[in-house]
Amino acid sequence: MRVLVLTSTCLRHKSFANIVIKKCRALGYEVMCIFESKDYNSMNNEYKELCFYKDTTSAIDNHCLASCDEGSINSKKIVDAIKDYDPDIGLVFGTSILKERVFGAPKAGCYNVHTGLVQHYRGVENVTWPLVQKEYDKIGFTVHKVSPGIDNGKVILQRKISPKYFYDPYRMFLHVCKAGTETLVENLEKICKNEIETLDIKPSGKLYRKKDSFENMETIARQNLYEFNTRH
Protein backbone atom coordinates (compact mmCIF):
# COMPACT_ATOMS: atom_id res chain seq x y z
CA MET A 1 0.00 0.00 0.00
CA ARG A 2 1.39 3.38 -1.05
CA VAL A 3 -0.04 6.37 0.87
CA LEU A 4 0.24 10.04 -0.08
CA VAL A 5 -0.22 12.81 2.50
CA LEU A 6 -1.14 16.28 1.24
CA THR A 7 -0.96 18.94 3.93
CA SER A 8 0.60 22.29 4.89
CA THR A 9 3.58 23.54 6.85
CA CYS A 10 1.49 24.73 9.83
CA LEU A 11 2.33 22.84 13.01
CA ARG A 12 -1.12 21.24 13.28
CA HIS A 13 -0.71 19.88 9.77
CA LYS A 14 2.86 18.71 10.33
CA SER A 15 1.55 16.87 13.38
CA PHE A 16 -1.05 15.21 11.13
CA ALA A 17 1.68 14.09 8.72
CA ASN A 18 3.88 12.91 11.58
CA ILE A 19 1.13 10.74 13.09
CA VAL A 20 0.06 9.30 9.73
CA ILE A 21 3.67 8.41 8.87
CA LYS A 22 4.11 6.56 12.17
CA LYS A 23 0.87 4.61 11.61
CA CYS A 24 1.84 3.73 8.04
CA ARG A 25 5.20 2.45 9.24
CA ALA A 26 3.43 0.27 11.81
CA LEU A 27 1.17 -1.15 9.08
CA GLY A 28 4.05 -1.70 6.68
CA TYR A 29 2.77 0.90 4.18
CA GLU A 30 4.89 3.19 2.07
CA VAL A 31 4.15 6.87 2.73
CA MET A 32 5.29 10.18 1.28
CA CYS A 33 4.16 13.76 1.92
CA ILE A 34 3.57 16.94 -0.05
CA PHE A 35 3.72 20.16 1.98
CA GLU A 36 2.10 23.40 0.90
CA SER A 37 3.74 26.43 2.52
CA LYS A 38 1.30 28.48 4.60
CA ASP A 39 1.69 31.42 6.98
CA TYR A 40 -0.18 31.98 10.22
CA ASN A 41 -2.68 34.83 10.30
CA SER A 42 -1.69 35.51 13.90
CA MET A 43 1.53 35.13 15.92
CA ASN A 44 -0.71 34.34 18.88
CA ASN A 45 -2.19 31.34 17.06
CA GLU A 46 1.28 30.13 16.07
CA TYR A 47 2.33 30.31 19.73
CA LYS A 48 -0.77 28.33 20.79
CA GLU A 49 0.14 25.60 18.30
CA LEU A 50 3.72 25.53 19.59
CA CYS A 51 2.32 24.93 23.09
CA PHE A 52 -0.31 22.40 21.97
CA TYR A 53 1.82 20.17 19.73
CA LYS A 54 4.89 18.66 21.35
CA ASP A 55 5.99 16.38 18.50
CA THR A 56 5.40 17.49 14.92
CA THR A 57 8.42 16.43 12.90
CA SER A 58 10.11 13.33 14.36
CA ALA A 59 8.83 11.03 11.58
CA ILE A 60 8.73 13.52 8.69
CA ASP A 61 12.41 13.32 7.71
CA ASN A 62 12.91 11.36 4.48
CA HIS A 63 9.18 11.33 3.78
CA CYS A 64 8.84 14.61 1.84
CA LEU A 65 7.96 13.92 -1.78
CA ALA A 66 7.61 17.59 -2.74
CA SER A 67 6.83 21.07 -1.41
CA CYS A 68 5.19 24.12 -2.93
CA ASP A 69 4.18 27.70 -2.24
CA GLU A 70 0.68 28.48 -1.01
CA GLY A 71 -1.81 28.18 -3.87
CA SER A 72 0.51 26.00 -5.98
CA ILE A 73 -0.73 22.60 -4.79
CA ASN A 74 -2.32 21.97 -8.22
CA SER A 75 0.78 22.92 -10.21
CA LYS A 76 2.37 20.71 -12.86
CA LYS A 77 5.33 20.14 -10.55
CA ILE A 78 3.07 18.60 -7.90
CA VAL A 79 0.97 16.63 -10.38
CA ASP A 80 4.11 15.14 -11.92
CA ALA A 81 5.51 14.24 -8.49
CA ILE A 82 2.27 12.45 -7.59
CA LYS A 83 2.22 10.55 -10.88
CA ASP A 84 5.81 9.43 -10.36
CA TYR A 85 4.99 8.20 -6.85
CA ASP A 86 1.81 6.45 -8.08
CA PRO A 87 -0.04 6.34 -4.72
CA ASP A 88 -2.90 4.00 -3.88
CA ILE A 89 -4.66 6.52 -1.63
CA GLY A 90 -4.32 10.16 -0.55
CA LEU A 91 -4.94 11.72 2.88
CA VAL A 92 -5.56 15.47 2.97
CA PHE A 93 -5.57 18.05 5.75
CA GLY A 94 -5.09 21.80 5.46
CA THR A 95 -4.25 22.37 1.80
CA SER A 96 -5.77 24.85 -0.63
CA ILE A 97 -8.68 23.51 -2.70
CA LEU A 98 -7.50 20.56 -4.74
CA LYS A 99 -8.30 20.13 -8.41
CA GLU A 100 -9.28 16.75 -9.84
CA ARG A 101 -5.88 16.21 -11.44
CA VAL A 102 -4.52 16.06 -7.89
CA PHE A 103 -7.24 14.44 -5.79
CA GLY A 104 -8.07 11.97 -8.55
CA ALA A 105 -4.47 10.83 -9.03
CA PRO A 106 -4.33 8.19 -6.25
CA LYS A 107 -6.01 4.95 -7.33
CA ALA A 108 -8.60 5.07 -4.51
CA GLY A 109 -8.85 8.87 -4.49
CA CYS A 110 -8.25 11.17 -1.50
CA TYR A 111 -9.85 11.54 1.93
CA ASN A 112 -9.94 14.87 3.75
CA VAL A 113 -10.08 15.81 7.44
CA HIS A 114 -12.56 18.68 7.72
CA THR A 115 -12.78 20.52 11.05
CA GLY A 116 -16.53 20.91 10.92
CA LEU A 117 -19.77 18.95 10.56
CA VAL A 118 -20.40 19.13 6.80
CA GLN A 119 -24.19 18.95 7.16
CA HIS A 120 -23.96 22.30 8.99
CA TYR A 121 -20.67 24.05 8.15
CA ARG A 122 -18.32 23.79 5.17
CA GLY A 123 -15.31 25.85 4.12
CA VAL A 124 -13.31 27.68 6.80
CA GLU A 125 -13.65 28.73 10.46
CA ASN A 126 -15.91 25.76 11.18
CA VAL A 127 -15.37 25.94 14.93
CA THR A 128 -15.57 29.73 15.20
CA TRP A 129 -18.78 30.14 13.17
CA PRO A 130 -20.90 27.81 15.35
CA LEU A 131 -19.61 29.61 18.44
CA VAL A 132 -20.46 33.01 16.94
CA GLN A 133 -23.96 31.77 16.09
CA LYS A 134 -24.36 29.90 19.40
CA GLU A 135 -24.89 26.57 17.65
CA TYR A 136 -22.88 24.67 20.22
CA ASP A 137 -24.14 21.24 19.13
CA LYS A 138 -22.81 21.74 15.59
CA ILE A 139 -19.08 21.55 16.32
CA GLY A 140 -16.93 18.58 15.37
CA PHE A 141 -14.98 16.99 12.53
CA THR A 142 -15.73 15.04 9.37
CA VAL A 143 -13.59 12.72 7.26
CA HIS A 144 -14.91 12.63 3.70
CA LYS A 145 -13.84 11.63 0.24
CA VAL A 146 -12.53 14.55 -1.80
CA SER A 147 -14.69 15.40 -4.81
CA PRO A 148 -15.22 18.40 -7.10
CA GLY A 149 -16.46 21.27 -4.96
CA ILE A 150 -15.70 22.10 -1.34
CA ASP A 151 -16.27 19.67 1.53
CA ASN A 152 -19.06 17.89 -0.33
CA GLY A 153 -17.76 14.33 -0.77
CA LYS A 154 -19.11 11.13 0.77
CA VAL A 155 -18.70 11.05 4.56
CA ILE A 156 -16.97 8.07 6.18
CA LEU A 157 -16.24 9.35 9.71
CA GLN A 158 -17.70 12.08 11.88
CA ARG A 159 -17.87 13.11 15.53
CA LYS A 160 -19.32 15.97 17.51
CA ILE A 161 -17.09 17.79 19.99
CA SER A 162 -18.64 19.49 23.00
CA PRO A 163 -17.41 23.01 23.82
CA LYS A 164 -17.66 22.22 27.52
CA TYR A 165 -14.48 23.04 29.46
CA PHE A 166 -13.02 25.06 26.58
CA TYR A 167 -12.55 28.81 27.04
CA ASP A 168 -10.47 29.69 24.00
CA PRO A 169 -11.91 29.14 20.47
CA TYR A 170 -8.53 28.45 18.88
CA ARG A 171 -7.59 25.97 21.58
CA MET A 172 -10.89 24.20 20.90
CA PHE A 173 -10.14 24.27 17.16
CA LEU A 174 -6.80 22.55 17.82
CA HIS A 175 -8.58 19.91 19.88
CA VAL A 176 -10.94 19.26 16.94
CA CYS A 177 -7.90 18.97 14.62
CA LYS A 178 -6.29 16.46 16.99
CA ALA A 179 -9.47 14.41 17.37
CA GLY A 180 -10.00 14.29 13.60
CA THR A 181 -6.40 13.21 13.01
CA GLU A 182 -6.53 10.50 15.66
CA THR A 183 -9.86 9.12 14.38
CA LEU A 184 -8.60 8.95 10.79
CA VAL A 185 -5.42 7.18 11.92
CA GLU A 186 -7.38 4.71 14.07
CA ASN A 187 -9.37 3.76 10.96
CA LEU A 188 -6.53 4.03 8.45
CA GLU A 189 -6.23 0.32 7.71
CA LYS A 190 -9.98 0.02 7.08
CA ILE A 191 -9.93 3.10 4.85
CA CYS A 192 -7.00 1.78 2.83
CA LYS A 193 -8.69 -1.60 2.42
CA ASN A 194 -12.03 0.02 1.51
CA GLU A 195 -13.65 -1.68 4.49
CA ILE A 196 -15.38 1.38 5.94
CA GLU A 197 -18.97 2.24 5.12
CA THR A 198 -20.23 5.59 3.90
CA LEU A 199 -22.37 7.41 6.47
CA ASP A 200 -25.84 8.66 5.60
CA ILE A 201 -24.88 12.32 5.95
CA LYS A 202 -25.58 14.91 3.28
CA PRO A 203 -22.79 17.55 3.09
CA SER A 204 -25.25 20.40 2.66
CA GLY A 205 -24.00 22.89 5.23
CA LYS A 206 -23.49 26.54 4.40
CA LEU A 207 -20.15 27.24 2.71
CA TYR A 208 -18.06 29.87 4.52
CA ARG A 209 -15.05 31.49 2.87
CA LYS A 210 -12.32 33.76 4.26
CA LYS A 211 -14.14 36.81 2.91
CA ASP A 212 -17.11 36.01 5.17
CA SER A 213 -15.06 36.49 8.36
CA PHE A 214 -15.24 39.81 10.20
CA GLU A 215 -12.91 41.74 12.48
CA ASN A 216 -14.22 40.90 15.98
CA MET A 217 -15.40 37.42 15.08
CA GLU A 218 -13.02 35.58 17.43
CA THR A 219 -13.85 37.96 20.29
CA ILE A 220 -17.56 37.16 19.95
CA ALA A 221 -16.78 33.44 19.74
CA ARG A 222 -14.69 33.65 22.91
CA GLN A 223 -17.44 35.55 24.77
CA ASN A 224 -20.08 33.04 23.72
CA LEU A 225 -17.84 30.13 24.67
CA TYR A 226 -17.31 31.64 28.11
CA GLU A 227 -21.06 32.18 28.56
CA PHE A 228 -21.78 28.60 27.50
CA ASN A 229 -19.38 27.21 30.06
CA THR A 230 -20.65 29.38 32.89
CA ARG A 231 -24.16 28.00 32.23
CA HIS A 232 -23.07 24.36 31.96
Side-chain angles (χ1 to χ4, degrees):
M1 179 64 65
R2 191 170 290 171
V3 177
L4 175 68
V5 175
L6 298 117
T7 191
S8 96
T9 55
C10 291
L11 289 176
R12 63 185 183 275
H13 300 140
K14 283 186 175 180
S15 176
F16 168 77
N18 200 49
I19 293 169
V20 170
I21 289 168
K22 289 180 178 179
K23 182 65 173 182
C24 285
R25 284 176 175 174
L27 293 171
Y29 296 166
E30 292 183 48
V31 57
M32 294 298 286
C33 304
I34 293 175
F35 293 97
E36 181 182 21
S37 179
K38 286 195 175 182
D39 294 325
Y40 287 91
N41 57 10
S42 163
M43 288 184 65
N44 187 37
N45 288 345
E46 183 176 9
Y47 175 74
K48 288 176 183 177
E49 290 195 18
L50 281 167
C51 295
F52 189 87
Y53 293 105
K54 305 302 181 185
D55 180 16
T56 61
T57 61
S58 65
I60 288 176
D61 291 347
N62 303 318
H63 288 276
C64 182
L65 179 66
S67 59
C68 64
D69 294 332
E70 185 170 5
S72 299
I73 194 73
N74 299 293
S75 66
K76 184 178 183 301
K77 167 191 168 183
I78 298 301
V79 172
D80 288 346
I82 295 172
K83 286 181 179 177
D84 289 342
Y85 180 53
D86 192 26
D88 295 297
I89 194 168
L91 304 175
V92 184
F93 185 30
T95 67
S96 301
I97 297 171
L98 301 179
K99 293 186 178 179
E100 192 163 1
R101 61 177 176 264
V102 172
F103 71 74
K107 298 179 184 68
C110 289
Y111 290 86
N112 178 58
V113 177
H114 171 66
T115 52
L117 304 178
V118 292
Q119 63 269 45
H120 304 301
Y121 290 90
R122 297 182 300 124
V124 300
E125 303 286 357
N126 297 284
V127 172
T128 307
W129 277 113
L131 292 173
V132 167
Q133 299 179 123
K134 299 185 177 182
E135 295 187 315
Y136 304 114
D137 61 338
K138 296 180 180 179
I139 301 171
F141 66 83
T142 304
V143 178
H144 65 87
K145 192 158 190 180
V146 181
S147 62
I150 301 174
D151 302 325
N152 61 352
K154 293 180 179 179
V155 176
I156 60 167
L157 297 165
Q158 188 177 87
R159 195 172 91 208
K160 288 184 178 181
I161 304 289
S162 171
K164 195 171 184 180
Y165 305 122
F166 288 98
Y167 289 89
D168 178 76
Y170 200 78
R171 180 83 179 184
M172 183 174 185
F173 165 68
L174 294 179
H175 180 78
V176 172
C177 292
K178 184 173 183 287
T181 296
E182 290 174 347
T183 300
L184 180 144
V185 168
E186 286 168 7
N187 291 275
L188 182 57
E189 189 172 14
K190 288 183 179 179
I191 295 170
C192 290
K193 292 181 177 180
N194 196 27
E195 294 176 349
I196 196 160
E197 295 183 2
T198 300
L199 301 180
D200 186 20
I201 295 173
K202 187 177 180 181
S204 56
K206 182 175 178 180
L207 176 61
Y208 288 91
R209 300 178 184 270
K210 287 183 179 179
K211 65 181 181 180
D212 297 315
S213 301
F214 53 92
E215 188 175 352
N216 62 337
M217 183 174 172
E218 189 163 344
T219 300
I220 294 172
R222 183 177 290 104
Q223 290 172 345
N224 290 345
L225 187 58
Y226 177 81
E227 289 174 7
F228 171 87
N229 278 288
T230 56
R231 293 199 309 270
H232 295 80

